[in-house]
Amino acid sequence: DRFGLSEDIDDIVNEWFEMAKDKYAYDVICKQGAYEYFEKLHNQGVKITIATSSDKVLFEKTLERTGLNKFIDAVVMVKEVNKGKSHPDVYLEAVFFAGQVNGTTGYEEAGGQGIIAGINAHINCHGGEPFTLARDEAYIGVLIDDLVTKGVDEPYRMFTSRAEYRILLRQDDADMRLTERAYKLGLVKQDRYEHLCSKREAVNSIIDFTRKFSIKAALINDALEHLGTARLTHGCKLIDLINRPQITIESIAEHIPSFKEMLNNITDRKEEIIEAAEVLIKYQGYIDRERMIADKIHRLEAIRIKGKFDYNSLNSLSTEARQKLIKIDPETLAQASRIPGVSPSDINVLLVLLGR
């Protein structure tokens, strides 16, 4: 339906109204079914908050004229959302935000925040611990942590270069990282979870076989020469050969019948499983090193500091660190360590004070 707003709001200073100042009335278009949709949510006891970038008074008058005000519990202006103090679960007093209101631009960024906001909105209504993703679990975790700890002074895009754990955040193991967490939330059905478990079991079986299977130099050297890599002077484990850049799991399997037979027994997602196993074998050293660094940071994540310090009175902190810590008020020591302007020496000061 079309609703006209009369000229009695002409004196409200608003960019939206200014664009139509040559008109005596401004048309508000209400999408078909919107009234019934909001009425249904309201009757179900759903609390509805709308964020707007237009003038709050004008927007509330618009809702009143359309009759939607009966179903809306709160109107929040975009500029009222303090991005620097948003909780990592993307909610503020049970209002869950996603997208431009948080300072991001782009469909994927909004979608990533939206699923976390939706999950936590459900948890907030039905009980349970808030759901967050760490920086070493998903790019969504990196995005939200950046918004919380660094804020934004320009529209935020999720570049891979913003993540410090890119080896852990590979596209080939997104299912390994996130499916189990989704299953525990009830977002993944049993059959998909079992699909993951069977894949993980198959990958681990391949890796275990390569670690245990011994290779004799005399029996494999001709094959190695054919594959363009150096001959062996003594025996080794199969995994040592696969670590060579010239060799892949499938190429070496052609010369080891028992290994080939094992791979042929994989009937479901064979290429995907072999690729996952090969990545873990060839890059294990890099993966382990990055995991060790991430685990060190996780220990700082367990140290909660919110509400424990009067930063303004801590003269041993740098002036910039005090200002940033007061403004952002981080939840954990790890979050504090990622705030621009907070140095390692500032973190050490907080550790010492916590020890006391």
Side-chain angles (χ1 to χ4, degrees), residues 31-207:
K31 189 174 180 180
Q32 187 174 4
Y35 188 93
E36 292 78 7
Y37 176 73
F38 281 115
E39 184 178 31
K40 181 180 178 182
L41 291 177
H42 178 75
N43 291 339
Q44 291 174 349
V46 176
K47 300 292 184 182
I48 303 172
T49 297
I50 291 183
T52 176
S53 57
S54 66
D55 183 87
K56 191 172 182 178
V57 174
L58 177 61
F59 194 77
E60 287 174 343
K61 282 181 175 289
T62 303
L63 292 174
E64 184 179 342
R65 186 60 59 91
T66 60
L68 292 174
N69 62 312
K70 294 183 291 184
F71 314 128
I72 307 301
D73 295 278
V75 174
V76 178
M77 289 187 68
V78 169
K79 65 182 181 182
E80 290 177 354
V81 179
N82 188 339
K83 303 178 186 69
K85 284 194 176 182
S86 297
H87 193 278
D89 308 318
V90 201
Y91 74 84
L92 187 64
E93 296 179 359
V95 179
F96 295 76
F97 295 100
Q100 286 182 324
V101 70
N102 287 338
T104 63
T105 180
Y107 296 107
E108 296 82 7
E109 287 80 0
Q113 294 167 76
I115 192 168
I116 301 300
I119 289 168
N120 281 290
H122 182 273
I123 291 172
N124 184 263
C125 293
H126 297 277
E129 290 297 315
F131 178 79
T132 58
L133 289 170
R135 294 181 71 92
D136 62 329
E137 285 184 292
Y139 279 103
I140 296 175
V142 176
L143 181 151
I144 294 174
D145 187 71
D146 280 351
L147 294 178
V148 172
T149 58
K150 299 176 182 177
V152 289
D153 48 23
E154 62 181 33
Y156 182 99
R157 292 306 306 260
M158 182 63 256
F159 303 118
T160 54
S161 58
R162 297 187 190 271
E164 62 270 46
Y165 305 119
R166 290 190 291 278
I167 294 175
L168 299 180
L169 303 181
R170 307 184 311 278
Q171 67 180 34
D172 67 273
D173 78 331
D175 54 346
M176 296 287 194
R177 286 183 278 114
L178 300 173
T179 304
E180 189 162 348
R181 297 210 63 187
Y183 175 71
K184 290 177 180 177
L185 288 168
L187 296 174
V188 164
K189 294 181 179 178
Q190 185 69 31
D191 59 340
R192 184 175 169 190
Y193 178 66
E194 290 172 358
H195 217 45
L196 169 75
C197 293
S198 65
K199 176 185 173 180
R200 182 184 290 150
E201 186 179 340
V203 170
N204 289 337
S205 296
I206 292 173
I207 295 173

